[in-house]
Amino acid sequence: MFETDSALHAVPEARWQAVAFVSDTCPGADLVAVQLVLGELISNAVRHTAAGTWHLLLRADETALTMTVTDSSSRLPQPRQADPFDGLGGFGLHIVERLCDSSVVTVHENGKAVTVSWMLPRRPAA
């Protein structure tokens, strides 16, 4: 398990440590997908909350890698129609949906949690 938040690490350091954790504990995981999804979820937490705070939890077992980013906004993420020429974004949630195997948003009394997961390749028997 790897856990951090905006009080402990800036986004680049959190991303570096999270990727190191995944690299060490999840052979075969798509590190590029993990970096992109992590960056998107934390960026959204920073951009769409008043305080810009976030909490990251990564869990791995033999079958799956799960990432949860929690923030203080109870507003659900809304996919937008992206226009590559207007510079306003709108690609993030589409990227997240394509790069992970599952995603769910849970609203709680202090905000929301976005949880995504990837199924991991089976490890060969030793």
Side-chain angles (χ1 to χ4, degrees), residues 42-92:
I42 291 178
S43 294
N44 283 346
V46 170
R47 184 178 304 122
H48 298 294
T49 61
T53 57
W54 50 267
H55 180 265
L56 168 65
L57 177 63
L58 288 170
R59 291 186 180 168
D61 61 26
E62 298 80 31
T63 62
L65 169 65
T66 302
M67 173 189 299
T68 301
V69 175
T70 306
D71 66 44
S72 61
S73 172
S74 59
R75 184 172 168 237
L76 295 176
Q78 297 295 318
R80 297 186 288 137
Q81 180 65 36
D83 180 346
F85 302 108
D86 68 6
L88 299 177
F91 298 99

Side-chain angles (χ1 to χ4, degrees), residues 94-116:
H94 302 290
I95 291 170
V96 169
E97 290 294 322
R98 291 223 174 204
L99 292 179
C100 61
D101 294 320
S102 67
S103 66
V104 65
V105 179
T106 306
V107 176
H108 51 81
E109 66 183 41
N110 297 319
K112 71 176 167 304
V114 180
T115 301
V116 299

